[in-house]
Amino acid sequence: MKRPIISMTVGFLKILLVVSFSVAIPISSFAQSGKTPLPAGKAIMEKIVVDWNGDGLFDLILGDRDGFVTVYLNEGSNDSPKYGHGMKLRAGGKEIKVRGPSAPILVDWNGDGKRDLLVGDRGGYLHLFLNQGSNRYPEFAPAGMIQAVYKDLDVVSNASPCVVDWNADGRMDLLVGKGDGELYLYLSEGTRDQPMFGKPIKVNDGKLDVGSNSSPDMADLHGEGKKDLIVGNDNGEVFIFRNQGKDGDPQFDNLGKKIFMIFNDDASPRVIDWIQSGSNDFVVADRYGEVTLCPNKGSTKAPSFTEKRIIRARRR
C-alpha cells in the first residue's frame, strides 16, 4: 500500500508529510520556553550537549561531513564521560540526511513543549524536523524548510544555526553562521509558537567576520545579565565578543578576543555549565566529531579558559 503524501504551507514552513510509522527512541523531558524574555544565558536550544535519555548524564548530538545527525549516549559519568557507538536519528522512517556537513540543534520550535530538530546544511539551508511524538518517544516528521520572506531561508553555504531571543521580545530569533564567516540575523516577525522571518540583517554590517565557516553561540559569559557572542571558525579558532550594549540590544566590536587554544577544523562552540559550578564552561565540536571540554578556570564574571579535555576522540 502506498503511503499518502500531504503537502501544505504553514506560514514560514513548507512541509511534505508522509504518513508512516517509525521506531521511537526515548529522550528526556524538555521544558517549554516561556513567552517572556529569558534571562541572559538561559538556553532556549540544545547544541552538542544534551541529556538525551533523562539519566542526568551529558550525551552528545553531532552532525557530520556526510550530513547525518547522530546521538552518542554517555556510558560513563559527567566527570569521566565515555561515548560508544552512536545512533543516527530518523524522520518519517528514514535516517535523517542533509547535504553535509550537517549542523544540528534541538529547540522547541512551535511552543508545544516538545523539542524539535533544526539542521543546517552545506547549501546554506535550514531543515526543521517537528516532533510529532512525545519527549519520551519522539517521532520526527519529514523535513520542512525554514523560510524567510516567504521563500526558503538561504545563507548560500554551510548554515550553522543558533536560536536566541536577540531583542528580548519573547520570540525566537535566528542567528546563522555561514561559509564566508559572516553572521546573519533573522528577527522573528511572528509569534513565539509560529516564528516568521523577514530579510536577514548582517551583524555589524558584515564587518564582524571571523574567517570562514562561522558557528555561533550566545550566553552571558561575564555575569552581566546580557548575552555575549561566541563564534568558532574553519581554522579551529574560537572568538569571544563581549556585549557592549544591552541584553535586548546587543552591541559588539568587530574584533573579538581569540582564546589562545586551537581546536581542529570547523570549531563549533557551545557554552554550558558542565562542571556544575555555577559558571560557564564550554565545549567545542569539530568536523571530525571530536568534542573538547574547556572548563572555566576563572570566575563567573572573569572567565578564563586554559585547559582542554578531549571527551570524545575524533573519528578515525
Side-chain angles (χ1 to χ4, degrees):
M1 182 178 67
K2 293 184 178 180
R3 296 173 179 173
I5 300 177
I6 303 171
S7 175
M8 62 181 179
T9 300
V10 183
F12 67 95
L13 183 64
K14 181 173 61 183
I15 305 175
L16 284 177
L17 295 179
V18 181
V19 179
S20 62
F21 298 94
S22 60
V23 178
I25 302 171
I27 59 177
S28 62
S29 61
F30 181 68
Q32 180 176 350
S33 299
K35 297 179 182 299
T36 56
L38 290 172
K42 294 293 184 181
I44 56 175
M45 70 169 188
E46 294 170 289
K47 173 184 176 182
I48 303 175
V49 179
V50 57
D51 180 6
W52 187 260
N53 55 1
D55 61 1
L57 300 178
F58 293 137
D59 307 310
L60 303 176
I61 181 169
L62 301 175
D64 62 31
R65 290 172 289 175
D66 298 321
F68 295 103
V69 177
T70 305
V71 167
Y72 298 88
L73 296 179
N74 187 349
E75 300 170 356
S77 65
N78 287 338
D79 291 333
S80 299
K82 180 181 179 182
Y83 299 101
H85 296 290
M87 51 186 178
K88 289 185 172 67
L89 297 188
R90 303 174 69 86
K94 299 180 180 179
E95 289 182 344
I96 293 172
K97 188 177 188 298
V98 302
R99 186 181 174 192
S102 49
I105 62 173
L106 293 165
V107 60
D108 178 10
W109 187 261
N110 53 3
D112 63 358
K114 298 178 291 189
R115 55 182 167 192
D116 308 301
L117 177 66
L118 183 65
V119 185
D121 73 10
R122 175 188 286 272
Y125 298 102
L126 297 179
H127 306 252
L128 178 64
F129 301 85
L130 290 174
N131 184 356
Q132 296 183 325
S134 65
N135 275 325
R136 186 65 180 168
Y137 297 101
E139 295 180 10
F140 292 114
M145 304 301 292
I146 298 297
Q147 296 195 325
V149 200
Y150 301 100
K151 61 182 180 180
D152 292 347
L153 185 153
D154 179 9
V155 298
V156 182
S157 66
N158 290 5
S160 181
C162 172
V163 176
V164 62
D165 184 2
W166 179 275
N167 52 1
D169 65 356
R171 295 179 287 186
M172 295 191 306
D173 308 308
L174 278 171
L175 181 66
V176 186
K178 53 197 297 279
D180 65 4
E182 293 182 346
L183 296 174
Y184 276 15
L185 173 64
Y186 295 84
L187 294 175
S188 177
E189 301 173 353
T191 65
R192 166 60 185 87
D193 299 343
Q194 190 175 7
M196 299 181 67
F197 303 105
K199 294 181 179 180
I201 301 168
K202 290 186 179 182
V203 176
N204 285 21
D205 294 323
K207 296 176 182 178
L208 191 154
D209 188 342
V210 299
S212 298
N213 294 352
S214 54
S215 181
D217 190 22
M218 297 198 79
D220 181 9
L221 268 182
H222 299 91
E224 298 174 318
K226 52 189 180 181
K227 48 188 168 283
D228 304 305
L229 176 63
I230 306 93
V231 189
N233 72 7
D234 63 325
N235 290 326
E237 300 166 317
V238 174
F239 297 83
I240 296 173
F241 297 84
R242 192 166 186 167
N243 188 349
Q244 307 295 329
K246 301 177 181 179
D247 185 53
D249 184 20
Q251 302 290 327
F252 303 105
D253 293 333
N254 291 332
L255 298 177
K257 178 182 178 181
K258 183 170 68 174
I259 68 170
F260 82 94
M261 294 178 289
I262 300 295
F263 305 89
N264 292 322
D265 295 346
D266 294 336
S268 180
R270 174 59 172 164
V271 176
I272 181 174
D273 184 7
W274 184 288
I275 307 300
Q276 301 293 291
S277 62
S279 60
N280 286 316
D281 313 302
F282 72 88
V283 296
V284 176
D286 65 34
R287 74 163 62 170
Y288 307 106
E290 184 165 285
V291 180
T292 304
L293 168 65
C294 300
N296 183 358
K297 296 298 185 179
S299 65
T300 301
K301 294 186 177 295
S304 175
F305 304 103
T306 58
E307 179 186 353
K308 294 168 58 176
R309 302 180 193 171
I310 295 176
I311 57 176
R312 182 181 184 271
R314 64 187 294 176
R315 185 176 64 183
R316 301 296 180 181

